[in-house]
Amino acid sequence: LFEEAENGTLFLDEISNADLNLQAKLLHVLQEREYRRVGENDMRPCNVRIIAATNRKIPEMIKANNFRQDLYWRLKVIEIEIPPLSDRKEDIPLLARHFIRAKSLEFRPGIPFCPRSDFASGRLQLARECQGIGKLPGKDYHSGRSRRSIRR
């Protein structure tokens, strides 16, 4: 991952799920700006910006010895706390349009998006619900042809 992200940004989603061994390796990369490929002995330099995300409370994990405090302070340069989607209902239509377009589906204003939930589970729950919209008849977003004719 570090090689692919060289001179760029590496996004680590759910960093709280990393075991202590992986946390130690990540800390080494952040401190020394080098990593070792699997099966090699030589260290390779790296220049990578890290963005890490979690929905868990890391300070509580540190107290329970499930997360390294030194890694926490290395990662916590800038902290952005985003409220859960259930507290941001006005964002749901915008996110729904994004997920529908990301699946190369045409967003048709004539088809109302009526969520059956407040999406307490967050964006993944919303994304799954939006996938169902793709099963409706309509046009392929890229070609303009009917999806029914594409399936045949």
Side-chain angles (χ1 to χ4, degrees), residues 11-79:
F11 177 67
L12 301 175
D13 196 11
E14 295 303 336
I15 189 68
S16 59
N17 292 341
D19 63 35
L20 292 172
N21 185 39
L22 181 59
Q23 291 177 33
K25 291 177 182 179
L26 180 57
L27 180 63
H28 175 83
V29 172
L30 293 174
Q31 288 177 331
E32 306 300 326
R33 297 184 173 267
E34 63 182 13
Y35 67 95
R36 182 186 340 249
R37 273 182 162 183
V38 175
E40 288 187 359
N41 294 325
D42 297 332
M43 297 303 282
R44 294 172 176 254
C46 75
N47 178 26
V48 175
R49 179 178 340 150
I50 302 288
I51 296 176
T54 187
N55 62 357
R56 298 175 67 189
K57 298 192 182 318
I58 300 288
E60 292 174 12
M61 294 181 68
I62 292 169
K63 288 178 187 172
N65 293 320
N66 292 323
F67 201 89
R68 295 180 60 115
Q69 186 172 24
D70 49 0
L71 177 59
Y72 174 69
W73 290 114
R74 279 282 178 187
L75 291 172
K76 189 183 169 162
V77 176
I78 298 173
E79 183 176 4

Side-chain angles (χ1 to χ4, degrees), residues 85 88-101 107 113-115 119 126 130 133:
L85 189 55
R88 299 179 290 127
K89 292 187 186 350
E90 67 278 1
D91 290 347
I92 292 174
L94 177 68
L95 288 168
R97 283 184 191 91
H98 165 76
F99 290 129
I100 291 166
R101 287 186 178 130
F107 184 76
F113 178 73
C114 301
F119 301 104
L126 175 61
C130 290
I133 293 174

Side-chain angles (χ1 to χ4, degrees), residues 109-145:
I111 299 175
F113 178 73
C114 301
R116 298 172 292 216
S117 169
D118 64 358
F119 301 104
S121 296
R123 64 177 174 77
L124 295 177
Q125 181 186 0
L126 175 61
R128 275 188 236 103
E129 186 158 323
C130 290
Q131 286 175 347
I133 293 174
K135 295 182 174 74
L136 298 170
K139 293 184 177 181
D140 179 68
Y141 184 70
H142 292 295
S143 70
R145 296 185 304 169

